[in-house]
Amino acid sequence: MPACDTFRVYDYCVIGGGIVGVATAYRLLEERPGASVLLVDKAAALAAHQTGHNSGVIHSGIYYAPGSLKARMCRRGAQWTKEFAAAQGIPYRVCGKLLVATDSVEHARMLDLYERSVANDVEVELIDAAELVRREPRVRGMGALFVPSTGIVDYVRITAALAEQVRARGAQIVLGAEITAIDENSDAVTISGPAGSWRARRLVVCGGLQSDRLARLAGLPVALRIVPFRGEYYQLPSTRADLVSTLIYPIPDPDLPFLGVHLSPTIDGELTVGPNAVLGLSREGYRKGSVDLRDAREILGYRGFHRVAAANVRTGLREMRDSVFKRGYLAQCRRYCPDLTLADLRPRECGIRAQAVLRDGTLVHDFLIERTQRSVHVLNAPSPAATSAYPIAEHIVGQLLD
């Protein structure tokens, strides 16, 4: 298609080529067969950022506050993901997950998490230390929760299959097109950038790491900023890939938005360890030490970040230490898997989490979606957004067509 068509007005435009954006285009065409749909992304390929840099876990919904969007959407999304993968011939495996308590504090949290899982109607089994060792001989703990419905998949392949369906239904996908201006009036929304400009009657923005900037381009009075956190992973040697048969997670600290360093079998037969959570100074810089001056200036000058940092000094320093010194990272893993050694931890490309932070330092935990007369903006879609992509898309399209 031409980079710029000043005469055509699309029915719908989606900015964002991650799994949520592509699922939204897919859902629009389910609801409005034959509608003209355009999807635009600045990257050269779909699923280039958060979708393509995660553990590949099909989450169960055990962690999330009962009644939250995350809790409601995760269970439905997990089932949809498995069904879509099966229909498209995409490999997935339901291997289950063990959340391991290694001390008395974590054991108490584990019991609280068990109660939350009951409130969220998630199937879970409470097991003791002996049963834990019977199921996973190399794992140690005071007890664990076993979540049988958790699985693994390749979300890049899921996104590619969705995109193929979208194209087959007549949508157009334009890559390598950064959007630098959004102008909404009573008739349409115009988006433009160096690659061209396009007009649509309705707009959806699934901007991920750039969601706050895109919202400001559209004139939304956004009271948050995206703060990137690098999630650094290691990969075990192929000879150690059978170390565990299920996903092994620590019991999460309820005061932190991250789930902790976990052992994750992948659908292609690897075994990864991670991620940690280190402040990133580049929203899209995956190399260690990456700095983008604009990103760094916005983060370090943001009052909300100062308050987050002040409230989490010890945690932040520990994460930074473990990022620099592999022994600290290893120590976290050895709490529940003492067989691991330094030689087992081989570098793997990191991920970057787009964490929305309010001006008062509050971390936004739930999905956050706002709208104008002609557009819907996804401002915060952290994990389990990949698992929940289709229900999120349903929610977005419901708002857009309301």
Side-chain angles (χ1 to χ4, degrees):
M1 63 171 285
C4 180
D5 188 340
T6 57
F7 299 103
R8 182 171 188 181
V9 180
Y10 291 87
D11 293 319
Y12 306 102
C13 176
V14 178
I15 299 175
I19 192 170
V20 174
V22 180
T24 299
Y26 176 85
R27 180 60 186 161
L28 277 167
L29 288 164
E30 284 188 324
E31 282 289 311
R32 295 291 189 268
S36 56
V37 175
L38 170 70
L39 187 144
V40 179
D41 193 272
K42 74 172 186 174
L46 297 172
H49 295 296
Q50 293 181 105
T51 303
H53 293 82
N54 60 49
S55 301
V57 177
I58 305 173
H59 288 282
S60 60
I62 186 174
Y63 303 106
Y64 314 118
S68 65
L69 285 176
K70 279 188 176 183
R72 299 204 310 269
M73 292 179 177
C74 189
R75 283 193 64 208
R76 170 157 166 67
Q79 187 60 36
W80 182 90
T81 300
K82 295 167 188 174
E83 291 173 358
F84 183 80
Q88 297 296 315
I90 298 172
Y92 76 95
R93 182 159 63 92
V94 180
C95 55
K97 172 168 63 178
L98 282 163
L99 293 98
V100 180
T102 60
D103 58 31
S104 58
V105 172
E106 289 184 354
H107 194 271
R109 290 176 182 162
M110 181 185 75
L111 297 178
D112 291 340
L113 192 56
Y114 178 78
E115 296 301 322
R116 174 168 284 193
S117 71
V118 172
N120 282 330
D121 197 26
V122 175
E123 182 184 358
V124 65
E125 182 182 357
L126 189 61
I127 64 175
D128 61 18
E131 178 63 14
L132 172 62
V133 173
R134 189 189 71 78
R135 297 188 187 192
E136 290 288 356
R138 295 183 175 91
V139 175
R140 297 292 182 271
M142 296 180 65
L145 299 178
F146 178 63
V147 187
S149 62
T150 303
I152 50 175
V153 75
D154 183 344
Y155 284 112
V156 175
R157 292 191 64 178
I158 295 285
T159 305
L162 283 167
E164 185 177 336
Q165 294 284 319
V166 165
R167 288 189 178 102
R169 297 178 188 191
Q172 294 174 302
I173 297 178
V174 178
L175 300 176
E178 182 178 6
I179 300 305
T180 56
I182 301 174
D183 179 30
E184 179 177 337
N185 58 39
S186 60
D187 299 319
V189 184
T190 302
I191 64 170
S192 57
S197 63
W198 300 267
R199 298 179 71 210
R201 294 181 180 88
R202 296 285 186 272
L203 173 69
V204 178
V205 182
C206 304
L209 287 157
Q210 306 295 338
S211 62
D212 56 337
R213 290 172 175 167
L214 288 165
R216 290 188 181 95
L217 286 179
L220 270 69
V222 182
L224 57 80
R225 185 158 294 170
I226 294 298
V227 175
F229 284 89
R230 292 171 54 83
E232 296 168 340
Y233 291 87
Y234 290 97
Q235 180 175 315
L236 272 65
S238 58
T239 54
R240 300 280 273 168
D242 62 351
L243 188 71
V244 296
S245 60
T246 59
L247 292 148
I248 309 294
Y249 276 60
I251 299 297
D253 184 337
D255 294 328
L256 298 175
F258 311 109
L259 298 180
V261 173
H262 44 269
L263 278 167
S264 302
T266 67
I267 198 63
D268 55 4
E270 297 176 348
L271 183 60
T272 66
V273 185
N276 60 355
V278 182
L279 174 67
L281 295 178
S282 174
R283 296 193 187 200
E284 298 175 7
Y286 293 96
R287 286 188 174 183
K288 201 160 191 171
S290 294
V291 177
D292 179 285
L293 293 180
R294 179 191 178 192
D295 294 345
R297 184 170 60 250
E298 287 188 1
I299 295 162
L300 299 177
Y302 182 48
R303 180 178 299 177
F305 167 70
H306 296 166
R307 292 179 174 177
V308 169
N312 296 277
V313 172
R314 291 182 62 185
T315 300
L317 290 174
R318 184 190 69 224
E319 295 292 312
M320 290 173 63
R321 178 202 66 195
D322 293 349
S323 175
V324 175
F325 301 106
K326 205 158 56 169
R327 287 186 182 277
Y329 198 107
L330 177 67
Q332 290 191 55
C333 309
R334 284 174 59 88
R335 294 182 65 201
Y336 55 79
C337 189
D339 279 8
L340 286 172
T341 68
L342 277 177
D344 290 330
L345 302 185
R346 300 184 176 185
R348 181 184 175 96
E349 188 174 45
C350 80
I352 300 177
R353 173 187 174 122
Q355 176 62 55
V357 179
L358 303 180
R359 290 194 184 105
D360 65 1
T362 300
L363 302 177
V364 182
H365 295 293
D366 206 0
F367 303 141
L368 180 60
I369 299 170
E370 294 190 8
R371 61 177 295 181
T372 68
Q373 182 180 356
R374 291 192 170 272
S375 64
V376 174
H377 288 254
V378 180
L379 295 176
N380 194 55
S383 179
T387 300
S388 308
Y390 185 76
I392 294 172
E394 287 184 312
H395 184 78
I396 291 168
V397 171
Q399 290 205 354
L400 198 68
L401 303 181
D402 182 8

